[in-house]
Amino acid sequence: MPAEHTYAARITWAGNSGTGTSTYKAYTRDYDIACAGKPPIRGSADPAFLGDPGRHNPEDMLVAALSACHMLWYLHLCAAEGVVVTAYEDEATGVMRTRADGSGEFTNVILHPRVSITAGSDPETAHDLHAEAHAKCFIARSVNFPVEHEAEIVSADSD
């Protein structure tokens, strides 16, 4: 049965240095993200856009959201198919192109999951489940650029 889920976040700009946005360099790009009942996330712009490199930026969070969504679907599918995952890590990368007018967009994201499975698990099934995870990932289905995955499966047999 279809269901609808609603998500809410409060974004509070923390960058007024005293004169607001009186000039482009007069303010910081710092903000805080609050979601009820969860720790806050300290955000800023990418350093290329005068942001604080010590805070998460929206571009980082988009790539991380795609990676996390894929991982969560993948783990679910592995559990359902009898593939026992013992470790999972992903070095996801995204490319964003900017235009002369300052606008821009992501052109692609590539996930690089490295998955360890038990000796009794089927490496081929473990590999193939990435395609299904991609097809079901809520975030990947919501973006207008390609999200690819280049998975590495490490079986306990190969250690």
Side-chain angles (χ1 to χ4, degrees), residues 10-21:
R10 173 181 228 152
I11 309 298
T12 306
W13 176 48
N16 184 347
S17 300
T19 61
T21 58

Side-chain angles (χ1 to χ4, degrees), residues 48-65:
F49 308 109
L50 302 180
D52 181 343
R55 289 177 170 242
H56 297 286
N57 63 59
E59 297 81 10
D60 292 336
M61 290 187 278
L62 177 61
V63 172

Side-chain angles (χ1 to χ4, degrees), residues 50-151:
L50 302 180
D52 181 343
R55 289 177 170 242
H56 297 286
N57 63 59
E59 297 81 10
D60 292 336
M61 290 187 278
L62 177 61
V63 172
L66 285 161
S67 177
C69 185
H70 181 90
M71 178 194 69
L72 293 168
W73 265 109
Y74 181 77
L75 296 174
H76 167 81
L77 295 168
C78 284
E81 293 295 323
V83 173
V84 180
V85 175
T86 57
Y88 185 109
E89 61 184 39
D90 184 8
E91 294 287 335
T93 58
V95 176
M96 184 181 74
R97 176 183 53 217
T98 56
R99 301 175 183 277
D101 68 359
S103 67
E105 63 275 334
F106 272 81
T107 58
N108 75 308
V109 168
I110 301 176
L111 309 179
H112 299 95
R114 185 172 197 273
V115 181
S116 297
I117 59 174
T118 60
S121 296
D122 179 31
E124 187 175 330
T125 300
H127 188 272
D128 292 347
L129 287 174
H130 281 286
E132 188 175 352
H134 172 72
K136 292 189 173 189
C137 171
F138 308 134
I139 310 298
R141 293 173 54 88
S142 300
V143 298
N144 66 352
F145 54 83
V147 179
E148 304 165 32
H149 56 275
E150 298 174 357

Side-chain angles (χ1 to χ4, degrees), residues 8-13 31-36 40-41:
R10 173 181 228 152
I11 309 298
T12 306
W13 176 48
Y31 58 89
D32 296 311
I33 300 172
C35 298
I41 297 171

